[in-house]
Amino acid sequence: MSYVKRVLRMAFAWLEAGLDRIFTPACNPLYHLGALGFLYYWVVAATGIYLFIFFDTGITEAYGSIEAITYEQWYIGGVMRSLHRYASDGMIAMLMVHMLREFALDRYRGARWFTWFTGLPILWMVYAAGISGYWMVWDMLAQYIAIATTEWLDWLPIVGGTIARNFLNPERLDDRFFTLMVFMHIFVPLFLLFVLWIHLQRVTKPTINPPRLLAGGTLLMLLVLSVVKPAESQPPANLDLVPSQVGLDWFYLPAYPLMDVFGNGAVWGLALFGSLLIAVLPWLPPLRRARQKAAVVDLANCNGCTRCAADCPYAAIEMGRRTDGRPFDRQAVVLPDHCVACGICVGACPTAMPFRRASELIPGIDLPDMPIRGLREQIHEAAEGLAGDATIMVFGCDHGYDAAKPAGPEVAVLRLPCIGMLPPAFVDYVLSRNLAHGVVLAGCSDGECHNRNGVSWTNDRLARARDPMLRQRVPRERIETIWSAPVEGWTHRRRIAAFAERLRGLAEAETAERPGKAAE
Ligand code: HEM
Ligand code: SF4
Ligand code: SF4
């Protein structure tokens, strides 16, 4: 399992790095798969409402009404139908890549199991909605799917062969069948919205809208596709004929050829095994990384400022009523089951101040597996090992490029679970105590933090747009940020070398300005 995941991770990392160059990190579609899923959903919903206005739900009228929408409404009906089709296909494509990517990034275990697990019903529902949509056209393809699906359902002993018998007989097709299909095709997507809401319960402020440029490009792509290759029906269904050749939509209907070749039992086995595997995946080995301890609150140091709750990307902190009698209204309360141990809350806490005495460096919230006090000790140890005229302390994260690789005597690297764990006061501390000439903050590619918000919160804190802010006095020219994909070692090394050059330039400029100081 670990090997498969590693190969997938590398494949995604290369793809992401390539797409970063084409689309820029802000518009990289791989970083907005969930939001793209929502965009496709809204396109399907809007075009679906339009089609439903003109669709005739009677069994004998359905085909004709779809033909009329496609060919008699000049372009608009055909385009609406095609948009409906292609946005539905886009949803499946996005969903599959989204699922694969969350797996590859190891974002499906530990506290994240809930979001992963709730993806499973989404998968079934999107397929159910799409397949029932194909039935509604009532062409040869619909007939093939109807017969194959009912036979597939009839294979279950509990159904006892009643579905096909009830709905399909050689002379006619029951009107109830259509009512059922229409109901399913409308009800399932509506219910899907509710399940998507559940899916995002453990994600703080989920990104459900893609950036405008990406949304515009996606809509344009769908529109061009709809004009160039409009969705059309196959010949009308005829229960006296057995459909011999039907063109399949490979996004929604890949299971049907499998039913023909391997039989209904095999496809049931595959569907159930696949679903079971997805359901239990979060609890399969290796579990090491999934077991990091949740953040803990130290009430003696918590003043109830709410910053940790505002910054936690996984809705793992609630502000509760004060329980220790101190004169504050509220206190932070961690929900351990939700916490992924990213440490972003520690970076947000105003009490995580390295300038405090060692005995006092216990912040309001901390990670038991990596207390912030230990980071200050590491900084001092690392500083002792630094030598040169442009020394750099790199704070890297566990998920971007492995920042430890380029370390030499001039560069020290300290690792954090997420760069968002670093309180800005630590940057101030390193520079004001002359522990290094410069500080680099390195992490995942901009726009795609492994822990959702670590990179953006860090950027905002440095830019003094979000609490806790980097103090004004800290020389910005001695700070560099490198947000890169794990495979972008060359970017990382080049940027560090360029930063070292800049630091040397600064030293020369200072010497030239204050020759007296240099002589000292
Ligand atoms: C139409 C289908 C789906 C949509 C629209 C959707 C949407 C989303 C969105 C908007 C997010 C939050 C992104 C963010 O702001 O960071 C998300 C997260 C996630 N999704 Fe989905 N999702 C879908 C299907 C699935 C499926 C099928 C799975 C897996 C079985 C899945 C697994 C996950 C996981 C594990 C996360 C959490 C990632 C993290 O911890 O940062 N999703 N999804
Ligand atoms: S470590 Fe903090 S920020 Fe990260 S999930 Fe846990 S409580 Fe939230
Ligand atoms: S950021 Fe720190 S002080 Fe503020 S509520 Fe959270 S734990 Fe308490």
Side-chain angles (χ1 to χ4, degrees):
M1 188 72 79
S2 293
Y3 179 73
V4 176
K5 213 180 328 181
R6 226 173 309 136
V7 171
L8 269 175
R9 176 69 199 118
M10 283 323 274
F12 270 113
W14 282 107
L15 200 60
E16 285 161 14
L19 293 180
D20 271 355
R21 277 170 175 64
I22 301 171
F23 292 96
T24 75
C27 281
N28 188 330
L30 286 176
Y31 301 159
H32 300 280
L33 290 167
L36 280 175
F38 271 94
L39 178 71
Y40 287 129
Y41 179 91
W42 296 126
V43 174
V44 172
T47 51
I49 291 170
Y50 179 89
L51 295 177
F52 193 66
I53 293 171
F54 301 98
F55 179 66
D56 199 325
T57 54
I59 187 65
T60 40
E61 295 84 11
Y63 184 84
S65 69
I66 295 271
E67 288 298 275
I69 293 171
T70 313
Y71 301 110
E72 287 170 23
Q73 291 190 6
W74 198 60
Y75 280 109
I76 181 80
V79 167
M80 285 298 202
R81 179 185 181 188
S82 304
L83 282 176
H84 194 69
R85 161 91 57 95
Y86 292 130
S88 310
D89 287 345
M91 206 151 151
I92 284 285
M94 159 272 145
L95 190 146
M96 288 299 174
V97 183
H98 175 52
M99 183 166 70
L100 214 58
R101 189 163 175 273
E102 296 306 318
F103 170 73
L105 287 173
D106 206 22
R107 291 200 295 210
Y108 64 96
R109 300 187 290 153
R112 290 180 170 100
W113 74 267
F114 178 87
T115 318
W116 172 267
F117 193 80
T118 52
L120 182 58
I122 295 179
L123 199 65
W124 275 91
M125 290 170 81
V126 172
Y127 269 106
I131 292 172
S132 62
Y134 272 106
W135 287 23
M136 285 171 68
V137 181
W138 205 233
D139 58 358
M140 279 301 205
L141 175 62
Q143 178 182 337
Y144 165 74
I145 295 168
I147 294 169
T149 311
T150 46
E151 284 177 359
W152 183 65
L153 292 170
D154 279 345
W155 185 89
L156 288 178
I158 193 168
V159 178
T162 51
I163 297 183
R165 200 172 54 230
N166 275 351
F167 292 126
L168 301 162
N169 64 59
E171 291 88 42
R172 59 188 284 274
L173 179 87
D174 202 310
D175 247 359
R176 282 184 306 144
F177 165 84
F178 249 74
T179 318
L180 181 71
M181 280 310 105
V182 173
F183 176 76
M184 240 181 95
H185 195 60
I186 293 171
F187 178 75
V188 171
L190 277 180
F191 192 60
L192 177 63
L193 211 51
F194 172 67
V195 180
L196 279 169
W197 175 76
I198 297 177
H199 183 57
L200 300 177
Q201 281 310 294
R202 291 200 179 180
V203 180
T204 313
K205 294 202 185 91
T207 315
I208 54 170
N209 294 318
R212 272 197 203 150
L213 214 59
L214 182 59
T218 307
L219 291 176
L220 190 68
M221 176 196 78
L222 289 176
L223 200 63
V224 170
L225 206 58
S226 301
V227 172
V228 173
K229 198 172 179 332
E232 287 176 300
S233 306
Q234 299 190 17
N238 181 350
L239 288 174
D240 293 331
L241 296 176
V242 177
S244 53
Q245 268 214 318
V246 285
L248 285 181
D249 175 334
W250 289 100
F251 288 93
Y252 278 94
L253 311 172
Y256 289 86
L258 298 182
M259 289 176 198
D260 287 342
V261 178
F262 299 109
N264 291 327
V267 173
W268 266 116
L270 198 68
L272 293 181
F273 175 75
S275 301
L276 193 71
L277 185 65
I278 292 173
V280 300
L281 213 53
W283 295 278
L284 293 184
L287 297 168
R288 189 178 55 82
R289 291 206 43 181
R291 288 207 196 111
Q292 305 258 316
K293 288 198 198 82
V296 286
V297 174
D298 182 75
L299 273 190
N301 284 289
C302 171
N303 60 26
C305 71
T306 75
R307 286 181 195 167
C308 56
D311 279 11
C312 171
Y314 294 100
I317 303 178
E318 284 177 352
M319 296 309 298
R321 200 183 280 263
R322 202 77 203 184
T323 56
D324 62 352
R326 292 181 71 213
F328 302 109
D329 288 343
R330 291 180 286 177
Q331 66 184 49
V333 179
V334 174
L335 308 173
D337 289 350
H338 294 213
C339 176
V340 305
C342 63
I344 291 177
C345 49
V346 184
C349 186
T351 61
M353 281 293 283
F355 296 98
R356 297 165 82 187
R357 281 206 304 273
S359 59
E360 288 172 348
L361 187 45
I362 300 169
I365 194 160
D366 213 350
L367 289 187
D369 287 331
M370 201 200 160
I372 201 77
R373 191 163 30 163
L375 181 65
R376 188 171 66 180
E377 284 160 19
Q378 284 177 37
I379 288 174
H380 281 282
E381 270 169 36
E384 276 168 28
L386 282 174
D389 54 358
T391 56
I392 297 174
M393 199 163 292
V394 181
F395 292 96
C397 85
D398 277 349
H399 306 284
Y401 171 67
D402 183 359
K405 285 179 188 164
E410 288 206 320
V411 182
V413 180
L414 303 178
R415 298 280 289 271
L416 297 158
C418 175
I419 195 63
M421 182 177 174
L422 188 74
F426 276 73
V427 177
D428 186 5
Y429 185 76
V430 171
L431 292 176
S432 62
R433 300 272 163 114
N434 293 320
L435 297 172
H437 294 106
V439 170
V440 168
L441 306 185
C444 313
S445 182
D446 206 356
E448 172 58 6
C449 170
H450 185 86
N451 293 302
R452 301 190 58 242
N453 304 124
V455 171
S456 49
W457 292 168
T458 302
N459 278 331
D460 289 352
R461 290 167 187 168
L462 295 183
R464 296 181 56 77
R466 190 177 188 88
D467 280 323
M469 298 175 186
L470 181 67
R471 287 173 76 169
Q472 202 87 56
R473 71 173 187 192
V474 184
R476 297 314 196 257
E477 65 279 11
R478 293 189 177 275
I479 304 171
E480 178 68 303
T481 53
I482 306 177
W483 312 130
S484 56
V487 291
E488 289 182 303
W490 69 91
T491 307
H492 197 92
R493 286 189 290 274
R494 183 173 48 77
R495 297 274 305 276
I496 296 244
F499 183 49
E501 263 324 295
R502 283 210 317 272
L503 291 174
R504 281 191 196 93
L506 284 174
E508 280 164 20
E510 275 173 19
T511 314
E513 259 176 40
R514 288 182 283 166
K517 191 175 180 227
E520 284 168 31

